[in-house]
Each structure stands twice: as structure tokens, then as C-alpha cells.
């Protein structure tokens, strides 16, 4: 937990406010609305490991009423989180307004201790549970097809975060170069937070030097091209919801950037997400098929999932070891297939009984 988060949680508790609810609304939030806007209610709402969240009901000067979802986080890292999410959700809303709650604004709290930042968006009353596969995947495929990178390149104009981890998103025209940099960034953090592992380091170096270029360069071989598509970037079931009012599926908590569209569903391979149920990937592929060479789609999906497993191990240190082992296993699988170590030079593979239990857990979740 961010060291400033407990202080922000404490400072967000309202004491006898002149409105209903238990959440203190900072003056800077009301400043984002027309003068004369008043608070009807403000309640702590939802759960988050990295932020403080609330539901705000406002009365505007024209007597209309609106509800908003408010999220805040402390410190300079909070600024990166809130500014990144506002920009990511704004970009999704621009291309797919039927897929995302409408973003409103972001800013800095007037509160000075702790320094904190906030993000406001439209509040939609949503039902928890798994999203309808057909609706989610059709909308997502349309976003991927319709969106256009403002630079024609891969990346994003601002840093976005997956969980608490900032991503490396500087614009780059070459997808292989971009993805390699993206992955190397979280590999470096994995060693920093979870400790150095010599065998993993050797596997990652072989994987980066030989497997990534082999699989991703093939996407642009023989005159083929890849269109940079806007992806959500962290799309598991917890970052989606279904409107209580009209059963429409929405996505939120985006970590967006412009990428190869197949990367979006790399996260759906990860066993700890319920969206790893194969019906989601199969449905998505019906609306947006794989790139050529199609017979390497499964291996690219495994490759992209390694990024999500690695950043997960940084975000969730308590389970980081197990997820690192799965990344190790997946990288070794692709190395054996595309760029084997010279005889006797590769690090040992993981204990089969240990990996069998991890694989069984993954397969049980995916079915």
C-alpha cells in the first residue's frame, strides 16, 4: 500500500457534513463544476487496493442532478495514476462511447496533507459478475478496428498505469521494438521488487533476443502491416461491469495505449482472471480474427500473456513467486520452439511436480 494512502483514507472521512453520506468532498472537486453546484450526498463506494473511491450525487445550478464516481490517490504517483486513467478513459470514450462511462475531469486536491489527486467520471449503477461475452467482445473488436493512433505509432501520449505500476509507452513505429521495451521495463521492476533470479534472467535474455523478434517481426513480413489499435490494457472481469438499468457492458480502470490488437486478449490467458474462460477469447476471435501468420496466433497469445504475468508479479508481491514461475515456463516453452539454448547451456527447467500443480490451477480456471 502507498504510504500516503492511510492518511488519505483518514482525511476523506466526513464529520457531520452538510449533506448525506460519510465522504468528505474536497473543494477542488466542486471547482470542476459550475458555480452554485451543491452536494446532495457523498459516500465511500467500491474497493481498491491503490486508491480511495466514492460515489457523489450533485445538484447543478439548473436544478438537474448527476451522479459521479470519484477516485483519488496520494503523492506524485497519485498524479500519474489519476492523469493516466483520465486520459485512457477519455480515449476509449472518444472511440467507443457505448463502452465506457463518460470521463469528467481530473485534478489536484486543495488538501495539502497528504498531497492527493482525483479523477471523476459518470456514475453507472453496475451489476457485479462476468460480462456477456458476445456484447463485450463485439464492442471491444469495434474499438480495436475503429480507433486510430494520433501519431500512427504504438504507444500513448501520457503514462498510464496497470495497477500501481507505470508502463513504458513512448511512441514507437516498430511493434517489436515497442513491445520489447514495454516488457523489459516490467522485467526490471520484477527483479527490483521480487528479487534477482539468475535462471529467470538467462531465460528472459534468450527470450528477448530471439523469440520476440522471431514472432513479432513475422507480423510485418512480406509486406504485411499492423495497425496500432487502442486497447484497454488491463481488461479482466474486475474492470468491467453490466449496467443495472439496461444490461449494457462497460469497461473502466483502463491502462490504455495503442498496440497490436491481439495484445488485449493476452491478459485473458492468465489463470488468476476468471475471464480466462476460453469462451471470451473464442468469441473475440469471431469478431476480430488473428493477424497473419494465423498459425502462430496461439504462440503470440502466450507471448503477450508473459507481459501481464510479469507486471502482475510486481503488483501482487504476495503471489509474485508463483506467477514468475508461470512466466518462466511460458518463455521456456517458446524458446524451445523458436530459439533453443545450445545443448547443455540452458538453465534448468522448473520441477515438473511443482509446475504441474500450477498448470492444473491455470487449466481449471481457464476451462
Amino acid at each position: 500500500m502507498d504510504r500516503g494512502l492511510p492518511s488519505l483514507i483518514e482525511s476523506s472521512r466526513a464529520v457531520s457534513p452538510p449533506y448525506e453520506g460519510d465522504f468528505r468532498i474536497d473543494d477542488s472537486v466542486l471547482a470542476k463544476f459550475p458555480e452554485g453546484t451543491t452536494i446532495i450526498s457523498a459516500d465511500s463506494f467500491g474497493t481498491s487496493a491503490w486508491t480511495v473511491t466514492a460515489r457523489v450525487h450533485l445538484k447543478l445550478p439548473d436544478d438537474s442532478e448527476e451522479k459521479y464516481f470519484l477516485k483519488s490517490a496520494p503523492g506524485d504517483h497519485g498524479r500519474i495514476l489519476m492523469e493516466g486513467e483520465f486520459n485512457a478513459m477519455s480515449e476509449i470514450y472518444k472511440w467507443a462511447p457505448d463502452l465506457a462511462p463518460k470521463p469528467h475531469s481530473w485534478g489536484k486536491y486543495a488538501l495539502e496533507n497528504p498531497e492527493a489527486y482525483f479523477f471523476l467520471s459518470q456514475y453507472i449503477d453496475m451489476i457485479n459478475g462476468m460480462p456477456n461475452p458476445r456484447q463485450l467482445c463485439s464492442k471491444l473488436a469495434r474499438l480495436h478496428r475503429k480507433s486510430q493512433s494520433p501519431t500512427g505509432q504504438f504507444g500513448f501520449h501520457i503514462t498510464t498505469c496497470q495497477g500501481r505500476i507505470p508502463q513504458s509507452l513512448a511512441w514507437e513505429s516498430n511493434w517489436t521494438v515497442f513491445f520489447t521495451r514495454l516488457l523489459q521495463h516490467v522485467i526490471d521492476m520484477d527483479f527490483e521488487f521480487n528479487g534477482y533470479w539468475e535462471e529467470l534472467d538467462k531465460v528472459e535474455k534468450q527470450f528477448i533476443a530471439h523469440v520476440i523478434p522471431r514472432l513479432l517481426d513475422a507480423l510485418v513480413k512480406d509486406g504485411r502491416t499492423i495497425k496500432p489499435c487502442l486497447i484497454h490494457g488491463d481488461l479482466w472481469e474486475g474492470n468491467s461491469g453490466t449496467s443495472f438499468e439496461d444490461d449494457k457492458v462497460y469497461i473502466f480502470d483502463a491502462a490504455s495505449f495503442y498496440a497490436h490488437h491481439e495484445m488485449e486478449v493476452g491478459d485473458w490467458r492468465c489463470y488468476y482472471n476468471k475471464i480466462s474462460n476460453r469462451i471470451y477469447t473464442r468469441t473475440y476471435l469471431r469478431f476480430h480474427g488473428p493477424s497473419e501468420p494465423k498459425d502462430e496466433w496461439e504462440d503470440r497469445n502466450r507471448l503477450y500473456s508473459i507481459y501481464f504475468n510479469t507486471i502482475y508479479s510486481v503488483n501482487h508481491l504476495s503471489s509474485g513467486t508463483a506467477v514468475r514461475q508461470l512466466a518462466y515456463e511460458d518463455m521456456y516453452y517458446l524458446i524451445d520452439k523458436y530459439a533453443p539454448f545450445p545443448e547443455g547451456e540452458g538453465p534448468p527447467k522448473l520441477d515438473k511436480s511443482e509446475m504441474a500443480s500450477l498448470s492444473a490451477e491455470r487449466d481449471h480456471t481457464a476451462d
Side-chain angles (χ1 to χ4, degrees):
M1 180 182 285
D2 189 296
R3 284 178 294 180
L5 195 58
S7 178
L8 180 59
I9 292 171
E10 184 62 33
S11 67
S12 297
R13 293 193 175 103
V15 179
S16 302
Y19 51 81
E20 294 183 9
D22 61 358
F23 194 88
R24 187 188 71 83
I25 296 297
D26 191 88
D27 291 343
S28 59
V29 174
L30 273 184
K32 295 294 183 179
F33 295 90
E35 187 176 353
T37 299
T38 58
I39 304 169
I40 297 173
S41 65
D43 300 279
S44 298
F45 180 82
T47 58
S48 172
W50 331 113
T51 62
V52 177
T53 53
R55 176 178 53 195
V56 184
H57 187 181
L58 300 178
K59 185 175 182 179
L60 302 178
D62 63 1
D63 287 335
S64 64
E65 297 181 11
E66 293 181 355
K67 291 182 180 179
Y68 291 89
F69 179 72
L70 172 68
K71 177 183 289 190
S72 54
D76 189 59
H77 186 62
R79 177 189 59 78
I80 296 171
L81 280 170
M82 299 300 97
E83 185 179 18
E85 185 169 347
F86 172 75
N87 280 270
M89 293 303 300
S90 295
E91 196 76 358
I92 292 175
Y93 187 81
K94 179 176 80 174
W95 296 110
D98 63 339
L99 184 56
K102 185 178 182 179
H104 183 274
S105 56
W106 81 281
K108 184 178 185 296
Y109 274 175
L111 175 76
E112 293 185 358
N113 187 21
E115 174 187 330
Y117 297 82
F118 66 91
F119 163 59
L120 275 165
S121 69
Q122 172 192 15
Y123 172 78
I124 298 173
D125 195 10
M126 297 189 201
I127 302 167
N128 293 327
M130 298 302 293
N132 177 279
R134 182 178 180 84
Q135 187 185 158
L136 172 66
C137 293
S138 62
K139 287 182 174 181
L140 197 61
R142 188 168 69 248
L143 168 68
H144 293 164
R145 287 194 303 269
K146 186 177 179 181
S147 56
Q148 297 288 333
S149 167
T151 65
Q153 298 180 320
F154 303 99
F156 207 58
H157 64 281
I158 202 162
T159 299
T160 64
C161 299
Q162 189 182 132
R164 62 189 177 91
I165 302 302
Q167 302 180 106
S168 179
L169 302 178
W171 294 111
E172 169 58 52
S173 59
N174 185 295
W175 174 241
T176 301
V177 172
F178 177 86
F179 180 80
T180 300
R181 187 178 63 212
L182 186 77
L183 179 61
Q184 186 65 61
H185 174 68
V186 294
I187 283 173
D188 293 344
M189 284 192 291
D190 182 43
F191 283 139
E192 178 183 350
F193 286 98
N194 286 309
Y196 182 70
W197 178 6
E198 182 179 359
E199 291 78 9
L200 177 61
D201 189 26
K202 290 179 180 178
V203 166
E204 286 172 340
K205 283 182 167 62
Q206 180 78 357
F207 180 76
I208 287 171
H210 301 289
V211 176
I212 293 177
R214 164 59 187 83
L215 280 171
L216 299 189
D217 284 353
L219 292 165
V220 293
K221 192 176 179 181
D222 299 327
R224 293 191 286 264
T225 60
I226 315 172
K227 171 184 173 288
C229 303
L230 183 67
I231 66 170
H232 175 283
D234 188 17
L235 189 51
W236 60 295
E237 65 279 358
N239 288 342
S240 70
T242 303
S243 169
F244 182 81
E245 182 179 351
D246 57 16
D247 289 332
K248 288 183 178 179
V249 171
Y250 292 91
I251 60 177
F252 43 84
D253 287 354
S256 294
F257 54 95
Y258 283 88
H260 180 212
H261 75 277
E262 291 180 0
M263 186 167 180
E264 187 85 273
V265 298
D267 202 10
W268 299 1
R269 191 183 189 95
C270 303
Y271 79 93
Y272 40 81
N273 295 329
K274 292 180 181 178
I275 205 168
S276 62
N277 185 311
R278 292 186 180 94
I279 189 174
Y280 287 94
T281 299
R282 287 199 299 261
T283 303
Y284 176 81
L285 289 173
R286 286 203 294 268
F287 289 102
H288 200 321
S291 299
E292 294 287 355
K294 292 182 179 180
D295 60 351
E296 294 180 359
W297 181 88
E298 183 71 24
D299 291 333
R300 291 194 301 269
N301 184 249
R302 187 186 298 266
L303 181 149
Y304 293 144
S305 76
I306 289 166
Y307 175 74
F308 293 103
N309 277 329
T310 304
I311 202 168
Y312 184 95
S313 75
V314 182
N315 268 313
H316 303 86
L317 302 183
S318 62
S319 53
T321 299
V323 178
R324 286 175 116 195
Q325 290 172 333
L326 290 172
Y328 186 103
E329 178 191 37
D330 282 338
M331 281 187 277
Y332 222 134
Y333 171 89
L334 293 172
I335 288 169
D336 280 348
K337 188 170 183 178
Y338 292 101
F341 285 105
E343 185 70 29
E345 294 186 16
K349 295 184 179 179
L350 297 181
D351 179 79
K352 289 185 178 180
S353 62
E354 183 178 30
M355 291 315 305
S357 65
L358 288 168
S359 295
E361 183 177 2
R362 173 174 57 185
D363 292 343
H364 171 74
T365 310
D367 285 333

